[in-house]
Every structure is written in structure tokens, then in C-alpha cells.
Amino acid sequence: MCNFYREAIAALNWNKAIVIGHKTPDGDSVMSALAYAHLMQQLGYEATAKMAGKANNETVYAAKAFNLELPEILNNVEAQAPLILVDHSDYAQAIDGARDARILQVIDHHGIGDITESKLLYAKYMPVGSTCSIVYTSYRELNVEITPFVARILLAGILSDTLNHAKVTCTSVDRAIYNELVKILADDENVPFENELLKINGIYKEMFKAAKNFDGMTDEEIFNSDAKDYEIAGLRFRLGSLDWNDESSIDSFNQRMLSVMQEIVRRESSNAPYHMAFCRVGFKETSYILYCGSEILDKDGNQSEILGRSETCQGIAERAFGQSILPGVIFCQRRLSRKLDVVPMLTAAIEEKRS
């Protein structure tokens, strides 16, 4: 019987590609690129995984714990470079040069973004908690063996993006795939896990600690360690997602991040301007939403930007999340997900404001 997935990939008329996740890469972005590049290699294509930025502390720890080598960093690509994008489908989050590249495939678990391709394009989206779960299904559909090496890659990404099943975006599909990967590792004599589940849970605990370890990082590095760019209704903004567990210093941490956000908007305004910046700061079972931005004024046909906490930015933030408790700070009485809550709520508020 014909494998239609293989035929669809072959129809792209290519023989090599760069497989790469989004800027400010997280564990799922890096691991899905590694695993999907390996899959394409098994099909006979020259595919190489890359990272569109420095890996965060959690990803570095996971790679070491699972005995994996991280891909090289690639800052930009030339025109017509063949790309396979994983864990994103927005140009704002893609490697520099992606707009002029040849997008071959998109593998993602977010909403469909603005990436387009005039030529043939293969895209696979699934409503799951991790892109690595989608990659797992591709191995099965293409009848390519998931070796213990691949299982370690996929497991590291799933652990990261589902918070070891604790994240609200984790699905029954992610959990079933997790169990299958554990079985693959348990049946392999070369995997140094005396007790697979206990060992994996122990690795995740250290991954979690590493994700919250900001030692030696500047405030800007902390903010950018998990930040993504978006453009909605002509407004471009950077959205960070962080967690802070020290109750005695949560207010000062929020103010530090606000200072960074203001500087990012100010510095980028002369090049590719950010009109606003937001950040979700998780604190135990609640969330803080930080916001700052620029107000674009039209006077005598000219545009200018007033940097700082503008009325426009405050109006969007409060329409989405409620009243501010302090300038630039909104408190939410539940833990918010960037993908399921923050982005959709901001999108609705921005589109309502601009309509």
C-alpha cells in the first residue's frame, strides 16, 4: 500500500533542509527540531537541526540528562534557504530571513500563523501539548522506528512543554505517547535507567529547577529566556512568560521586568518597532500580567511614538485581563497559559481596540 505521507513529502521536490524552531528556543522547540531532522534523514533527505538562539537553562540540563547534543545556533538564513519550521508558524517568531526562505514544512501545535508559501507546502497541526508529540505521530505514520535515541529526544521535549503532565495544555495524546516512550526506554539494555519512571521524574524535577534558575543572568536575559514576538492588527509586541516563587520579592521582580520591557520597546522603536511588550509572571496558582508600550499619534500626517506605559497599551491590557493594581501590573486570580489564555485574550482586545 502506498504511504501517502511519504508521497506528500517527496512531492515538495527537495533533498535538504534546515529544521528549526522559534527564536528564544525552549525544550520542545529544540527537541522537536532534533527528532524531525532525524526522521527526514531516515527518509533519505539531508536535514540538519539548528537553534534560532541560545538554549535556555532547562533545555541545557535536559540535553545533558538525556545524553543529547544540542544543535548549533543559526542567527539568520539566506534567501531561498530550505526550511522546515517546528513549534511555530509566525514570521515574527521565525529565524531572521525566513520571509525570503523556501518554507517546505510546518509542524506546530499552536494556532495557524501568518507563514505562507507560494510553492508546495506540507503543514501538520495538532491540538496537543507538545510539538514532540506530533513528531512522534509522524514516525508512526511513516513507519520509521523510534529508537531509544529518538525516544530520549521526544521525551525531553514532552516533559518540558507539558510540565511533566501538569500543564493545562497537556492532553491524553501527550500522556499516551509519554507512556509509549517510557516503554521503549525500559526495553533497551543500554539506557542507564535503573527505574525508568522514578529516574525520569527525577530528571524533570531538575529541569524544573533549571528553568527557574536565573543565576548569572541579566534582567533582559531573564525576560527573553521565554519570550515570543507577535503581530496582531498591525501592532507588534513581545510577550514573555516567566514564573517567580519568592513571595517577598515578587513586586520588585515585576518592576525589574517592566524596566526591561520599556527598554526593549524604546530600543527597537527605530528599527523593527515593538509597539508594546507584555509578560505573564506566574506566581503559585495566580498570574501577574505586566504591560508597557508606545502610543502612536498622528499629527499633521506624521507619526510619533511616546514610550512608556501608554493609554493605548493600558486599555488593551485592562480590556483583556482586568483593572491594574499598580501602573503596568494586573493581577489575575488564576494561573494563565500563554497559548490558551494570554494570546487569545490579547488578540480579542487588540482587534476590538483597532476596529
Side-chain angles (χ1 to χ4, degrees):
M1 180 178 177
C2 174
N3 187 306
F4 295 110
Y5 196 166
R6 288 176 183 258
E7 292 296 321
I9 292 174
L12 295 170
N13 190 26
W14 61 290
N15 58 13
K16 65 178 180 179
I18 297 167
V19 187
I20 194 164
H22 52 73
K23 293 179 179 177
T24 61
D26 55 17
D28 190 40
S29 176
V30 173
M31 299 304 169
S32 59
L34 275 172
Y36 203 77
H38 182 79
L39 175 60
M40 292 298 103
Q41 290 165 12
Q42 300 311 297
L43 297 181
Y45 300 102
E46 184 183 338
T48 306
K50 300 287 185 181
M51 296 190 302
K54 182 181 178 181
N56 60 25
N57 289 340
E58 181 200 56
T59 306
V60 171
Y61 177 83
K64 182 177 180 180
F66 284 102
N67 194 24
L68 303 170
E69 185 175 345
L70 291 174
E72 294 181 349
I73 295 174
L74 187 65
N75 294 316
N76 55 73
V77 293
E78 298 178 351
Q80 295 305 306
L83 296 182
I84 296 175
L85 305 181
V86 296
D87 200 29
H88 70 299
S89 61
D90 291 282
Y91 282 119
Q93 298 173 21
I95 186 171
D96 291 346
R99 289 184 182 274
D100 298 317
R102 168 71 171 100
I103 310 298
L104 296 165
Q105 300 185 53
V106 177
I107 312 295
D108 192 17
H109 68 136
H110 300 88
I112 297 176
D114 63 350
I115 286 178
T116 59
E117 175 59 62
S118 60
K119 300 178 181 179
L120 291 174
L121 168 71
Y122 178 85
K124 186 176 184 180
Y125 294 82
M126 289 179 64
V128 293
S130 168
T131 308
C132 281
S133 293
I134 306 177
V135 176
Y136 172 94
T137 67
S138 294
Y139 271 84
R140 292 307 192 198
E141 291 163 7
L142 289 163
N143 298 317
V144 175
E145 180 187 5
I146 297 178
T147 64
F149 167 69
V150 174
R152 296 200 308 272
I153 298 173
L154 294 174
L155 190 59
I158 292 173
L159 284 173
S160 172
D161 231 28
T162 68
L163 302 182
N164 198 17
H165 311 320
K167 204 170 183 179
V168 66
T169 54
C170 183
T171 69
S172 58
V173 174
D174 300 289
R175 287 186 281 270
I177 291 172
Y178 170 94
N179 291 333
E180 289 299 316
L181 295 173
V182 171
K183 289 179 182 178
I184 292 172
L185 295 179
D187 292 339
D188 185 75
E189 297 179 353
N190 297 317
V191 178
F193 292 170
E194 295 178 1
N195 182 309
E196 288 73 23
L197 287 176
L198 289 179
K199 181 69 173 180
I200 292 169
N201 287 334
I203 289 175
Y204 176 72
K205 288 180 180 179
E206 295 305 316
M207 287 171 60
F208 185 82
K209 290 179 183 178
K212 306 297 181 291
N213 180 10
F214 299 138
D215 291 348
M217 298 172 65
T218 66
D219 284 349
E220 184 166 351
E221 288 173 337
I222 293 172
F223 175 77
N224 285 326
S225 65
D226 192 0
K228 296 182 177 180
D229 293 343
Y230 299 86
E231 186 169 332
I232 299 170
L235 292 178
R236 184 169 181 262
F237 61 91
R238 171 151 279 216
L239 170 59
S241 183
L242 301 168
D243 287 283
W244 190 257
N245 296 320
D246 182 7
E247 185 173 5
S248 65
S249 60
I250 181 64
D251 291 335
S252 63
F253 179 75
N254 286 341
Q255 292 304 313
R256 286 163 53 193
M257 292 303 100
L258 278 171
S259 295
V260 169
M261 292 157 61
Q262 290 171 348
E263 179 57 30
I264 287 174
V265 173
R266 180 179 296 110
R267 183 172 61 244
E268 296 292 336
S269 63
S270 61
N271 186 15
Y274 289 112
H275 300 106
M276 300 173 291
F278 299 91
C279 188
R280 180 207 67 87
V281 178
F283 181 68
K284 296 182 179 178
E285 297 304 314
T286 62
S287 294
Y288 289 89
I289 298 295
L290 314 182
Y291 63 88
C292 73
S294 60
E295 184 151 17
I296 301 176
L297 303 178
D298 192 348
K299 184 178 180 180
D300 298 328
N302 297 319
Q303 284 192 334
S304 60
E305 294 183 345
I306 301 174
L307 299 173
R309 300 186 185 98
S310 69
E311 292 182 6
T312 299
C313 183
Q314 180 174 339
I316 290 170
E318 292 188 343
R319 180 177 279 106
F321 307 107
Q323 293 297 309
S324 303
I325 59 171
L326 292 170
V329 182
I330 297 172
F331 176 73
C332 300
Q333 293 185 323
R334 66 184 178 92
R335 185 179 181 86
L336 299 178
S337 160
R338 175 165 55 188
K339 180 170 70 174
L340 294 184
D341 299 310
V342 180
V343 173
M345 293 164 77
L346 281 175
T347 299
I350 290 172
E351 289 178 344
E352 182 180 347
K353 180 75 174 179
R354 302 288 278 186
S355 63

